[in-house]
Amino acid sequence: MKAIHIDATDIRILSAVQKHGRMSKTELSEIVNLSPTPCWARLNKLKEAGFIRGYHADIALARIGDFTQVVVTLALTHHRKSDFDRFESHIRKLDEVVECIATGGGMDYVLRIISPGLVDFQNLMESLLAADLGIERYMTYIVTREIKSELPNLARLADKTKK
């Protein structure tokens, strides 16, 4: 895939799609302040270039049930590529792990886990330890309430990278 240069108009398009999801050509062009045809062409160019990975709904989980959310920091015993690959491959298969990021510093990964309850979370952790993934240590943090969860402000981020 060939790299493409994006400008302020492309950032406005990406911001609009990030905030509103799928929308009509007319709706998008009104938000971006660009006529519909060139706006839609730019959107398609951005999709084809891989800037848009998908469209998702922000579901209010608390309306569905009382789930347990846990943040887990985790360190592996060894730091070979094969150890990281084995761990990451296993984590990708677990529905309960909704986010996993690799980090530098004292811990190797931060996971966000959502499970039906604390017992289910503990069973998941025991299965991870039994899976021989080379987990040296982990710390768990039970989420008591969510203070802020937002997507990044693309316009502000893009503007700061140019300075």
Side-chain angles (χ1 to χ4, degrees):
M1 187 180 320
K2 161 182 133 173
I4 65 166
H5 171 74
I6 61 172
D7 60 18
T9 302
D10 293 323
I11 295 294
R12 287 196 314 273
I13 291 169
L14 291 171
S15 294
V17 171
Q18 180 185 45
K19 184 174 182 179
H20 303 288
R22 291 186 195 266
M23 62 189 100
S24 73
K25 185 188 299 191
T26 305
E27 291 170 322
L28 180 61
S29 68
E30 287 173 2
I31 292 170
V32 174
N33 197 23
L34 182 68
S35 60
T37 302
C39 186
W40 206 250
R42 280 178 176 253
L43 175 64
N44 288 327
K45 176 186 77 167
L46 292 166
K47 283 180 186 177
E48 290 168 10
F51 284 92
I52 299 170
R53 294 188 298 192
Y55 296 89
H56 312 279
D58 185 8
I59 307 298
L61 287 178
R63 301 281 312 247
I64 298 170
D66 188 20
F67 299 106
T68 298
Q69 186 173 169
V70 183
V71 174
V72 177
T73 58
L74 188 144
L76 299 183
T77 306
H78 303 288
H79 294 99
R80 299 175 299 238
K81 183 177 181 330
S82 60
D83 297 311
F84 292 125
D85 290 346
R86 184 174 66 249
F87 176 79
E88 292 169 16
S89 175
H90 189 85
I91 289 298
R92 283 186 186 98
K93 298 173 191 167
L94 301 174
D95 289 338
E96 300 91 343
V97 179
V98 296
E99 188 173 1
C100 177
I101 57 172
T103 60
M107 292 295 197
D108 298 316
Y109 295 97
V110 177
L111 290 75
R112 189 165 60 94
I113 298 170
I114 298 178
S115 64
L118 203 47
V119 170
D120 299 286
F121 165 73
Q122 187 58 41
N123 290 338
L124 173 70
M125 290 310 299
E126 289 172 7
S127 74
L128 284 174
L129 295 171
D132 193 30
L133 298 171
I135 297 173
E136 178 180 28
R137 66 187 185 284
Y138 69 94
M139 298 287 293
T140 60
Y141 306 90
I142 306 297
V143 175
T144 57
R145 63 191 171 112
E146 194 171 283
I147 308 304
K148 182 178 181 181
S149 177
E150 291 183 359
L151 297 170
N153 181 324
L154 294 178
R156 179 169 280 158
L157 281 176
D159 186 47
K160 294 203 184 253
T161 60
K162 294 176 184 174
K163 293 180 179 180

